[in-house]
Amino acid sequence: STQSTWGLEQPNAFTAFIEKFQNYNYLNLCDADDVLQRSGMQKDACNKINSGILSKGLKTSMVTVVEFCRDTISKFQGTTKTDEDSKTYINSLVIQEARAIMEVILPAIYNLIDSYQENFTIYMDGVMATENLKFGIFLLMLFVVFVMGWSPYLKNLSIKTVSYTHLTLPTIYSVQISVVAGSLK
């Protein structure tokens, strides 16, 4: 079963991408300077393509290209398919307009991909910083628990050491001698 993400909030790092995505989808692509710069097309030429279809946004433009291609394929399948027919369809006005639309659509898509990757990197940097902070706090807590558990042990250990050091050297030797003598019997 798949879970729908409809209506869920996006992380703040994706705000620039979402804004660009909505602008490209619903506004005039020919007004987007970054798209025109990347495509190398002038604004006037962009607005003239297919009676201004690019002014309707990215989604409508993509549907138009798909429909152009579908119509062209079905018309081509109904012909005799000679070399001359192929050249005629490839050089037809429909294909030229679809190609011109794609010259604007592709830079828009590439800009969206670049924006998404940039925003994703920002988001992941923030997540990694948070996870590193959590790990640092975990290590600090682990150290505190270790010190709190180790200190009483060291205190008990030093008390036992002091109680054994009150024995004098001759007493230790006499204990060792009696153990050795007892083992010889």
Side-chain angles (χ1 to χ4, degrees), residues 1 36 74 85 104 110 113 147 159 168:
S1 76
L36 292 177
S74 43
D85 290 337
V104 178
Y110 292 147
I113 291 170
V147 168
I159 290 172
T168 60

Side-chain angles (χ1 to χ4, degrees), residues 45-128:
C46 180
N47 281 321
K48 290 178 184 175
I49 295 173
N50 194 22
S51 304
I53 191 67
L54 294 168
S55 66
K56 308 242 187 292
L58 183 62
K59 189 186 321 183
T60 305
S61 301
M62 289 178 75
V63 169
T64 302
V65 169
V66 169
E67 291 302 319
F68 277 158
C69 292
R70 184 180 299 159
D71 289 346
T72 304
I73 289 170
S74 43
K75 286 177 186 176
F76 183 72
Q77 287 177 344
T79 65
T80 58
K81 298 178 191 98
T82 63
D83 287 342
E84 194 60 37
D85 290 337
S86 299
K87 289 177 186 177
T88 303
Y89 274 96
I90 289 172
N91 294 321
S92 70
L93 181 61
V94 173
I95 297 293
Q96 296 304 321
E97 284 189 13
R99 187 177 296 146
I101 292 171
M102 290 302 294
E103 286 178 10
V104 178
I105 288 177
L106 287 176
I109 291 172
Y110 292 147
N111 286 346
L112 285 173
I113 291 170
D114 292 345
S115 177
Y116 182 81
Q117 288 175 338
E118 186 178 308
N119 286 280
F120 185 76
T121 301
I122 291 169
Y123 173 72
M124 289 307 293
D125 288 345
V127 167
M128 286 303 295

Side-chain angles (χ1 to χ4, degrees), residues 154-172:
L154 287 179
K155 184 178 179 186
N156 286 339
L157 186 63
S158 64
I159 290 172
K160 289 179 183 176
T161 304
V162 169
S163 66
Y164 288 128
T165 56
H166 77 279
L167 299 174
T168 60
L169 197 57
T171 308
I172 294 172

Side-chain angles (χ1 to χ4, degrees), residues 139-154:
L139 289 178
L140 180 65
M141 295 301 292
L142 193 64
F143 179 74
V144 167
V145 168
F146 177 75
V147 168
M148 291 175 69
W150 189 250
S151 296
Y153 174 75
L154 287 179

